[in-house]
């Protein structure tokens, strides 16, 4: 869904059909926060959820949609900070940090 949204944002805008109707734009940061912040918060104590979230954000970062990189990095950093407060097994933390390190790096 976010990929389609990015493609629509990159497409040329259409002529106005209703000139008196205005709709505020949606920013990537808002979409990412709405979609991922609660997962990072509620899943912080579960290593599998925390790692999968990092992988999903890394994939979205790589799409390079408008504002995706900064939004994905912000949510990944926030999710990492939350999970580090809850996870205490070294293997879990290592997996989480490895997944977080991929956000922002092309494969």
């Amino acid at each position: 869904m976010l990929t389609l949204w990015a493609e629509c944002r990159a497409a040329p805008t259409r002529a106005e059909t209703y000139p008196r109707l205005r709709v505020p734009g949606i920013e990537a940061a808002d979409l990412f926060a709405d979609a991922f912040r609660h997962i990072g918060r509620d899943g912080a104590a579960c290593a599998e959820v925390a790692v999968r979230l990092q992988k999903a954000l890394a994939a979205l970062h790589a799409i390079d949609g408008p504002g995706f990189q900064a939004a994905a990095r912000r949510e990944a950093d926030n999710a990492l900070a939350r999970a580090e407060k809850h996870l205490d097994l070294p293997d879990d933390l290592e997996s989480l940090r490895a997944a977080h390190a991929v956000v922002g790096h092309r494969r």
Side-chain angles (χ1 to χ4, degrees):
M1 186 169 66
L2 290 174
T3 303
L4 292 174
W5 179 78
E7 290 172 3
C8 288
R9 292 274 309 244
T13 58
R14 296 184 300 232
E16 290 186 24
T17 305
Y18 303 99
R20 293 184 297 181
L21 178 65
R22 299 281 184 251
V23 178
I26 299 172
E27 298 299 322
D30 292 332
L31 285 177
F32 275 66
D34 291 346
F36 301 109
R37 190 160 295 161
H38 68 280
I39 298 170
R41 182 194 63 228
D42 297 344
C46 180
E48 294 81 7
V49 172
V51 169
R52 180 54 53 196
L53 177 58
Q54 293 295 328
K55 290 179 179 182
L57 291 166
L60 289 167
H61 186 283
I63 291 173
D64 196 25
F68 273 36
Q69 292 181 344
R73 170 54 76 182
R74 183 177 313 107
E75 294 307 318
D77 290 347
N78 287 338
L80 173 67
R82 285 186 179 98
E84 284 179 329
K85 291 181 180 240
H86 292 281
L87 299 175
D88 52 5
L89 291 176
D91 287 347
D92 289 346
L93 288 167
E94 183 180 334
S95 296
L96 174 65
R97 290 175 181 143
H100 178 264
V102 175
V103 179
H105 299 287
R106 300 225 185 254
R107 292 180 190 177

